[in-house]
Amino acid sequence: MTKFKLVVGFVCLFSGYVAAAPSADEQNVAKAVDQMTQAMLHKDIKALNALTSDNVTYGHSSGKIQNKQEFIADIETGRSGFKTLQMLNQKITLDGDTALVRNHFSAQAVNSGVEVPTEIENFQVWQKQKGHWLLIGRQAFKF
């Protein structure tokens, strides 16, 4: 009986570990968020184009809303850039082919040549399209 309880205990412990492990989609969304972060940091225009939907709506904490072309043009021209950029305390929630991502956006931004320390909250909506996770919406907000 003791061996049986021990086996049941290990099975319960292991099943809890498996249930807590991130799914493949969650891992892929996290990877896409990281790729977007690195693309913004390093002005990788090709990657920014590949990671954003043609219909993306990109909201800044100032209230400014941009489409894909405007968002990418700001990075490409240097109107918006970064010396450092991290997404912290990230939480991903999946619902079918949609992922909701909340994180803390921590950066040393460079806006039109002026360095601006930036600490804001970030909400992103990603959608799986043709097997790839694309950013379809983003809204930053001050806290």
Side-chain angles (χ1 to χ4, degrees):
M1 187 66 169
T2 302
K3 288 181 183 179
F4 177 74
K5 288 180 183 178
L6 188 59
V7 168
V8 169
F10 278 122
V11 168
C12 289
L13 180 65
F14 180 71
S15 65
Y17 173 75
V18 170
S23 70
D25 273 339
E26 188 174 338
Q27 290 174 0
N28 289 334
V29 170
K31 183 178 176 183
V33 172
D34 185 56
Q35 289 171 336
M36 173 68 74
T37 303
Q38 294 304 311
M40 291 170 65
L41 179 61
H42 300 293
K43 293 175 116 178
D44 186 342
I45 304 310
K46 183 177 177 181
L48 290 172
N49 272 300
L51 290 163
T52 52
S53 165
D54 288 341
N55 297 317
V56 69
T57 178
Y58 194 92
H60 295 267
S61 62
S62 66
K64 179 180 178 179
I65 306 293
Q66 295 179 308
N67 63 26
K68 181 176 184 167
Q69 292 75 26
E70 294 164 332
F71 159 63
I72 292 174
D74 272 3
I75 299 287
E76 188 171 27
T77 63
R79 279 189 299 267
S80 181
F82 304 94
K83 287 185 93 172
T84 63
L85 179 57
Q86 293 180 298
M87 302 300 170
L88 307 171
N89 304 324
Q90 186 160 278
K91 181 173 175 17
I92 298 170
T93 304
L94 293 171
D95 187 2
D97 65 353
T98 304
L100 307 176
V101 180
R102 291 190 177 274
N103 52 37
H104 179 80
F105 184 103
S106 179
Q108 187 66 27
V110 181
N111 296 329
S112 299
V114 178
E115 288 189 31
V116 181
T118 305
E119 301 292 334
I120 55 178
E121 296 301 303
N122 200 24
F123 177 66
Q124 299 174 338
V125 181
W126 292 78
Q127 186 178 57
K128 196 173 195 178
Q129 297 179 11
K130 299 178 184 173
H132 300 285
W133 288 98
L134 300 179
L135 181 69
I136 63 170
R138 185 259 195 181
Q139 184 60 59
F141 56 95
K142 297 174 183 169
F143 60 100

